[in-house]
Amino acid sequence: MSATLLPFEEIVTTHGPTVLRVCRAILGPMDADDAWSETFLAALRAYPTLRPDTNVEAWLVTIAHRKAIDQTRARARRPIAVDHLPERPAPSEASRWDGDLWAAMQALPFKQRVAVTYHYVVGMPYADVATLTGGSEDAARRAAADGIATLRKTYGEGGPR
Amino acid sequence: MMTTHEPREPERSELFVALPAIDEATTRRLHDRLVREAQTAGLLDVAYRTIDSPVGPLLLAATVKGLVRVAYRCEDHERVLESLARDLSPRILHAPARLDTVAKEIDEYFAGLRHGFDVPVDFSLARGFRRRVLTHLGTISYGQTASYAAVAVAAGNPKAVRAVGTACATNPLPVVVPCHRVVRSDGTIGEYVGGVDAKRALLTLEGAA
């Protein structure tokens, strides 16, 4: 029997947490919810035409990457950062979350932030990171190394090493 | 597009190892929002939930047209969902709200307060003669039974007794489409998609056994 697509619910259960970590790592906890929701809604729309043998995690991260770029651009256009939607519940966990690490991530240039996220948070090999972000494998490796070096300086003390 | 993942490098977890798992509340909040937005965007092709009943947990699934599947535990809910993904659409989410009315009516039925179901049903999973049999089953009233042979006659093909049996055995909507009211001509109970015990329980509930 040929492979068939799993119910989308299983995709959400299996990959939801990783995609949320990606969104938080790239955008910070406040904007992560929006990016996560947009990612899964776009994925749900396209899902019936997905080839059943696709690497679903990589596919979702690719969508999340595009949404993160959109959000980063939208954020740059926003006037001032007093614009968190008021009805959004306080992210119960974001406060418990390692805020310092995410703050340190936010301080990285976008290129480094995504390279660090895809390689270190998702576990993607640099060749795949390069496919996703454009540029060479070496460039991806350098961006991640530079990002990690900065994180060690800005976040390192007191943090897990 | 993507190459296969090489072994994850040990340095991977060093800085990020302390990140806590995503908590329940966050997961639920995001899932609820996805269901809401999928529904609004017309992307929730199949909604499902499970309910408890005196004959065990039942899986309920609905398309926008109506209730499309009721499944007993013995049918294996996970496999049923996989077959819905294959036969209807993989855009399936756990979305109880669409099934609130059905769940309420089934509860009332098992409490003996309801003798028929008013919810719209979607017969997409049954075709041809099987569908004809299933639509006819609705005419066997609560508390009554009919033989496979009688149903074959009523469905317009007196020779198709065995096919009636198959239609009942593959009824995608047991309980709601009352295939449990079809019994053998010799008066024995016959087989049932949810097992003979469940069939007997339903007929006893209805006062027909």
Side-chain angles (χ1 to χ4, degrees):
Chain A
M1 202 181 91
S2 66
T4 52
L5 293 166
L6 292 170
F8 195 74
E9 179 72 23
E10 281 201 43
I11 304 300
V12 180
T13 308
T14 308
H15 301 288
T18 301
V19 173
L20 187 58
R21 274 185 207 100
V22 166
C23 294
R24 284 174 169 178
I26 299 176
L27 298 166
M30 293 312 292
D31 289 331
D33 277 18
D34 289 343
W36 188 96
S37 299
E38 286 173 21
T39 298
F40 274 97
L41 198 64
L44 178 63
R45 191 182 297 278
Y47 189 55
T49 57
L50 191 71
R51 284 182 41 179
D53 58 352
T54 305
N55 177 340
V56 175
E57 183 182 79
W59 175 64
L60 289 168
V61 171
T62 305
I63 301 174
H65 179 71
R66 288 200 296 266
K67 299 298 176 191
I69 290 174
D70 291 349
Q71 287 232 359
T72 306
R73 282 184 189 143
R75 199 192 283 177
R77 281 196 298 270
R78 274 186 229 159
I80 310 180
V82 195
D83 51 4
H84 293 129
L85 297 178
E87 80 273 18
R88 181 183 299 154
S92 56
E93 181 193 0
S95 44
R96 279 205 295 108
W97 201 328
D98 218 317
D100 288 349
L101 176 55
W102 295 140
M105 285 289 285
Q106 289 302 294
L108 296 180
F110 187 78
K111 257 197 167 130
Q112 294 182 16
R113 212 187 313 149
V114 293
V116 166
T117 301
Y118 301 145
H119 185 70
Y120 289 92
V121 179
V122 182
M124 282 167 73
Y126 286 118
D128 290 356
V129 176
T131 306
L132 192 48
T133 59
S136 69
E137 189 178 336
D138 272 352
R141 192 187 306 273
R142 265 198 311 278
D146 291 348
I148 286 290
T150 306
L151 284 178
R152 288 232 166 83
K153 270 185 252 150
T154 52
Y155 166 74
E157 272 139 57
R161 300 216 60 137
Chain B
M1 173 184 75
M2 299 284 172
T3 60
T4 48
H5 284 194
E6 69 206 17
R8 295 186 174 192
E9 296 163 37
E11 65 200 340
R12 179 198 170 201
S13 56
E14 197 185 313
L15 271 161
F16 297 95
V17 73
L19 297 181
I22 312 292
D23 68 26
E24 274 286 310
T26 302
T27 303
R28 203 173 321 118
R29 173 164 48 82
L30 289 170
H31 190 280
D32 287 353
R33 178 172 167 184
L34 176 62
V35 166
R36 236 174 16 248
E37 291 178 351
Q39 174 88 43
T40 306
L43 296 174
L44 183 50
D45 294 344
V46 180
Y48 76 90
R49 71 181 291 179
T50 51
I51 58 168
D52 286 325
S53 85
V55 288
L58 297 174
L59 173 76
L60 312 176
T63 63
V64 287
K65 283 192 249 167
L67 185 66
V68 75
R69 190 76 167 88
V70 175
Y72 282 98
R73 176 161 47 188
C74 62
E75 297 177 78
D76 188 343
H77 291 174
E78 200 175 311
R79 291 187 61 170
V80 170
L81 289 170
E82 284 169 13
S83 64
L84 292 177
R86 190 185 58 231
D87 300 337
L88 293 174
S89 164
R91 288 186 186 133
I92 298 179
L93 286 174
H94 180 253
R98 189 185 281 178
L99 294 142
D100 277 353
T101 309
V102 181
K104 182 169 152 284
E105 293 198 1
I106 290 178
D107 280 349
E108 290 168 355
Y109 168 80
F110 281 112
L113 303 170
R114 170 175 286 279
H115 292 184
F117 294 93
D118 300 328
V119 291
V121 292
D122 178 349
F123 279 114
S124 295
L125 294 171
R127 307 207 174 275
F129 184 69
R130 287 187 194 177
R131 188 188 291 207
R132 202 132 50 92
V133 169
L134 296 179
T135 48
H136 174 75
L137 294 182
T139 65
I140 312 172
S141 12
Y142 185 92
Q144 304 297 307
T145 57
S147 68
Y148 291 100
V151 173
V153 172
N157 192 348
K159 288 184 183 164
V161 179
R162 189 172 282 272
V164 169
T166 308
C168 289
T170 57
N171 177 9
L173 294 157
V175 182
V176 173
V177 172
C179 61
H180 58 274
R181 292 176 194 150
V182 186
V183 297
R184 289 203 178 128
S185 309
D186 65 7
T188 57
I189 194 163
E191 288 169 33
Y192 185 55
V193 56
V196 174
D197 288 346
K199 187 172 191 173
R200 191 172 291 119
L202 297 186
L203 291 175
T204 305
L205 168 75
E206 297 185 5

